[in-house]
Amino acid sequence: MESVGSMKVVGGSASVPLARGIAKEVRAGFVDVALEKHPGGFPDGERYVRLLGAVAGEHVVLVQTTHPDPMIVELLLLADAIRDAGARRITAVVPYFGYGRQDKRFLDGEPISAKTIAKHIAVDCNELLTMAIPANPEILRTFPLLTREVSGMPAIGRYMKSAKVDVLLAPDEGALRLAKEASAVAGVPFDFLVKERIDSYTVKIEPKALAVKGKSVGIVDDVISTGGTIATAAQELRAQGARRVIAACVHGLFVGKAEANLKACDDVIATDTVLSPHTKVSVAPEFAAAIRALG
Ligand code: R5P
């Protein structure tokens, strides 16, 4: 694979495995970061960062998911330290963009939180790459630095191909484009689930066109949070005779009763944008390609 000249990669503590993967893909040096000044860190929980390698004159790719909140502080501290250390260019890779959901002012007096975070990233960073932002992607155009959204679906498609699924389904029409993109890589047909209300107490959920009886089915979504969406879909697919159900998402947050909800699936996989026990797929190749495309 072609290397990118004069580049270093730095990873914040939320994204070290992905940062290492990106460094390998683009054949750039990896700069370690010390995260504790004193064993156990600061007693009040404040973050500490220190670059353990030189970045002067380099194009630095700084990788850090902004979830949970202390990871935002770490990102800003690292960006400042990298700029102060003489980097010539900083590309922020924010795999999961926390606060993306607040992409407009719903009520007077609110901030547009997604833009707030972007404004602070723009203080030291030249450009921003992110993935499946949980917002209207139009918000990216309002950010005060060049921003590109990178798709994680090729990575999920590769996994689904190796898992030999027969069909890929989106849990709703909104996620159809994700299923379509992953299916192009997996080489299987795609569809989406439609919800039909039978009466006040009953809803029927089934694929729009494809039958799942006896099939190995993959469900793809951008985010799994409580797992409720996927659990409902998986239960219905099983009721319709699906032989195996594999759920996949880009961002696996797995909050609340997610683990219990997801027992309805044979396998649950997520990418390394957010680290969890379900992280089984890396989006390093996708970010590496996007970094090369920046030129
Ligand atoms: C919704 O628009 C998203 O695409 C996901 O389907 C949703 O965030 C999943 O949430 P949960 O896992 O809590 O059902």
Side-chain angles (χ1 to χ4, degrees):
M1 199 161 289
E2 203 179 318
S3 71
V4 181
S6 189
M7 182 182 281
K8 292 271 174 72
V9 179
V10 175
S13 64
S15 301
V16 173
L18 176 57
R20 284 196 181 278
I22 291 172
K24 199 168 162 203
E25 289 281 337
V26 299
R27 294 195 189 171
F30 187 79
V31 177
D32 283 309
V33 174
L35 294 159
E36 289 189 355
K37 189 168 188 176
H38 313 286
F42 289 121
D44 56 7
E46 286 181 358
R47 309 307 293 175
Y48 169 86
V49 296
R50 182 176 167 233
L51 300 170
L52 296 177
V55 295
E58 304 275 5
H59 173 186
V60 177
V61 175
L62 170 58
V63 189
Q64 173 78 325
T65 268
T66 52
H67 169 85
D69 284 6
M71 298 301 109
I72 301 171
V73 178
E74 228 181 65
L75 172 69
L76 301 179
L77 294 175
L78 281 167
D80 194 22
I82 293 164
R83 184 63 75 192
D84 272 355
R88 74 184 148 82
R89 175 178 172 188
I90 306 177
T91 302
V93 171
V94 179
Y96 174 71
F97 197 96
Y99 288 84
R101 284 190 193 94
Q102 180 83 14
D103 58 357
K104 62 181 176 191
R105 217 182 304 282
F106 297 92
L107 297 170
D108 283 350
E110 290 179 347
I112 303 172
S113 309
K115 210 170 156 188
T116 311
I117 301 293
K119 264 158 67 177
H120 287 85
I121 293 172
V123 170
D124 286 304
C125 300
N126 300 91
E127 59 233 339
L128 169 66
L129 299 177
T130 187
M131 184 167 274
I133 186 164
N136 180 348
E138 286 299 307
I139 185 76
L140 303 181
R141 292 174 196 267
T142 71
F143 287 0
L145 74 174
L146 181 123
T147 304
R148 298 264 183 271
E149 194 174 33
V150 180
S151 174
M153 284 302 126
I156 288 178
R158 288 193 295 275
Y159 183 91
M160 290 296 188
K161 186 171 188 178
S162 69
K164 297 189 168 34
V165 297
D166 301 312
V167 57
L168 281 180
L169 294 176
D172 51 47
E173 196 169 3
L176 182 60
R177 65 184 174 87
L178 306 179
K180 184 177 178 186
E181 205 185 334
S183 75
V185 176
V188 295
F190 65 95
D191 199 356
F192 68 98
L193 294 169
V194 280
K195 198 187 275 187
E196 189 194 338
R197 181 157 293 283
I198 309 293
D199 57 40
S200 316
Y201 300 95
T202 329
V203 289
K204 196 168 100 187
I205 301 170
E206 61 182 4
K208 176 98 174 132
L210 295 175
V212 294
K213 194 165 176 7
K215 297 217 169 116
S216 175
V217 180
I219 315 175
V220 296
D221 208 348
D222 51 356
V223 180
I224 296 179
S225 181
T226 65
T229 306
I230 294 290
T232 307
Q235 282 154 8
E236 287 295 330
L237 291 169
R238 285 217 180 281
Q240 287 162 36
R243 177 167 52 83
R244 192 166 65 129
V245 178
I246 301 177
C249 64
V250 177
H251 308 307
L253 302 179
F254 306 114
V255 301
K257 293 186 177 155
E259 293 304 333
N261 287 339
L262 292 167
K263 286 207 163 59
C265 304
D266 294 285
D267 193 9
V268 179
I269 66 134
T271 76
D272 50 1
T273 60
V274 180
L275 299 175
S276 78
H278 297 290
T279 299
K280 292 179 194 155
V281 172
S282 180
V283 288
E286 281 64 41
F287 277 115
I291 290 163
R292 285 192 212 97
L294 285 172

